Amino acid sequence: GAIDLKARGFRYFDSMMSPHPNFVPFLRRYVDDEHKAKKGGPMPDIESWDLLPPAKPVPQQQNGYDCGVFTCCFAEYFCAGRPLEFGQEDMRDLRLRLAARLVRADENWRDAM
């Protein structure tokens, strides 16, 4: 999940299931607690913050082992403001790209093959 400060709500990205019932209440409390700690008071209007619907369905995995790649891609795409336009069929390339970024600190992963 992600806290969307601009939209004043919460985004849920899970490639296998829907959000736990405590997802929104937990994040509301977290944001409020952080605001109290950093700003000295409660976050205004935090109770109105809710789960924000995705523009398109969240990509779904079709196995039990690609969740880490999906999670990294959700974070990367969301932070970059890009639509979540990838799927199970892209996992091989996305896994290689992720590995290259981690091992070589290099976006040009195709050159390493």
Side-chain angles (χ1 to χ4, degrees), residues 1 10-25 27 50-52 54 58:
F10 311 106
R11 307 255 178 214
Y12 190 79
F13 309 112
D14 192 320
S15 59
M16 295 192 80
M17 60 181 59
S18 60
H20 188 278
N22 290 335
F23 177 73
V24 170
L27 286 180
D50 211 345
L51 189 63
L52 301 169
V58 173

Side-chain angles (χ1 to χ4, degrees), residues 95-112:
R95 184 180 290 105
L96 286 171
R97 190 181 100 213
L98 180 60
R101 291 172 72 187
L102 293 172
V103 173
R104 299 179 71 220
D106 188 352
E107 286 289 330
N108 298 315
W109 60 272
R110 289 192 188 276
D111 296 339

Side-chain angles (χ1 to χ4, degrees), residues 14-109:
D14 192 320
S15 59
M16 295 192 80
M17 60 181 59
S18 60
H20 188 278
N22 290 335
F23 177 73
V24 170
F26 176 82
L27 286 180
R28 277 186 191 140
R29 182 171 179 176
Y30 172 78
V31 170
D32 195 46
D33 286 350
E34 284 295 307
H35 196 273
K36 287 174 186 171
K38 306 283 190 295
K39 303 287 185 176
M43 179 73 164
D45 205 30
I46 190 65
E47 289 304 316
S48 70
W49 290 36
D50 211 345
L51 189 63
L52 301 169
K56 291 181 177 179
V58 173
Q60 297 294 293
Q61 71 185 79
Q62 295 156 12
N63 59 41
Y65 52 85
D66 281 329
C67 51
V69 180
F70 272 88
T71 299
C72 290
C73 289
F74 290 147
E76 178 183 353
Y77 281 59
F78 176 70
C79 289
R82 295 170 50 196
L84 303 177
E85 294 179 344
F86 60 88
Q88 187 68 53
E89 65 280 0
D90 302 310
M91 287 300 108
R92 180 182 177 279
D93 287 344
L94 292 171
R95 184 180 290 105
L96 286 171
R97 190 181 100 213
L98 180 60
R101 291 172 72 187
L102 293 172
V103 173
R104 299 179 71 220
D106 188 352
E107 286 289 330
N108 298 315
W109 60 272

